[in-house]
Amino acid sequence: KAFLHHTVHLSCYFPNSQKFDVKDLIIFWQKDSNKVLYEVYYGQEKHDHLSPEYINRTKVDIGKWTLQLLNAGVEDEGHYQCIIQKITEQSKEVVHQSECSLHIIANYSQPEIAELHSRELKPNGYLNLSCSSSGGYPEPKEMTWLISHENITHSSTAHMDVSQDAVTKLYNVTSKLNIPVPTKSRTNIRCLLRLREQLGNLVSVPLGI
């Protein structure tokens, strides 16, 4: 997992127990079996097969057998392979291969509650609220409304409208709540956004009625 626009470290996990010299190897990283990020031929960088989106976005530390991918974006999510080959006069032999999957994370904004009703609240009227959060990735699990009064909290999972920005690929989410105006005691209403990838939850500032 890596945060959006940060640097990703893709390791080969190559112990090199046979103490190969880099000058005797071909080393390359590729994505989804068809896009080449980086190639080293006999100790020299080679750019012939690089996919355009990775040009000037990689650095390598051969001592650690690690590739740095700069400014990671949502489109960089996927499956990566590191392949090391030794060339002899007779053959080309794969001496090491490792794989990893990259998942991008972007932080959602703190959920924010807005009051959609324009008139004064009346005892027999309705509360019309929305809760929104933006700029996150991946798509969240769900949005839940928490309604608390007299130390009792009721939760209500509401329909969540999800939109994805065509350029940034980040998600914006909104949920609406329509309930009778509370009349018995002071009520606090919060909005909870449940995230995926074990990223936890985000909660709004409470709205007091």
Side-chain angles (χ1 to χ4, degrees), residues 164-208:
Q164 187 176 26
D165 188 284
V167 177
T168 66
K169 306 300 183 190
L170 302 181
Y171 289 100
N172 301 317
V173 294
T174 301
S175 178
K176 292 183 179 175
L177 179 71
N178 192 274
I179 58 169
V181 172
T183 55
K184 292 180 180 175
S185 61
R186 180 171 175 81
T187 299
N188 278 324
I189 300 174
R190 290 168 296 153
C191 171
L192 181 75
L193 182 64
R194 299 184 190 276
L195 305 176
R196 297 184 188 274
E197 308 277 343
Q198 292 82 49
L199 295 174
N201 304 320
L202 293 172
V203 67
S204 70
V205 173
L207 172 70

Side-chain angles (χ1 to χ4, degrees), residues 110-114 116 129-133 143-145 160-161 173-177 190-193 204:
Q110 182 181 16
E112 195 169 320
I113 295 176
L116 303 178
L129 308 175
S130 74
C131 181
S132 302
S133 176
M143 207 170 240
T144 302
W145 290 90
M160 183 172 64
D161 289 315
V173 294
T174 301
S175 178
K176 292 183 179 175
L177 179 71
R190 290 168 296 153
C191 171
L192 181 75
L193 182 64
S204 70

Side-chain angles (χ1 to χ4, degrees), residues 17-64:
S17 53
Q18 298 181 55
K19 301 290 187 285
F20 290 120
D21 190 320
V22 174
K23 294 185 176 65
D24 297 328
L25 300 173
I26 294 174
I27 307 159
F28 60 97
W29 277 264
Q30 64 182 17
K31 181 190 180 207
D32 300 332
S33 302
N34 60 1
K35 293 181 178 179
V36 177
L37 286 80
Y38 194 89
E39 287 184 296
V40 180
Y41 270 59
Y42 310 117
Q44 298 294 318
E45 284 186 35
K46 189 175 179 184
H47 302 109
D48 301 10
H49 305 117
L50 292 188
S51 294
E53 62 263 46
Y54 296 113
I55 293 173
N56 298 324
R57 287 185 59 213
T58 56
K59 291 181 182 177
V60 76
D61 183 342
I62 287 297
K64 295 181 180 176

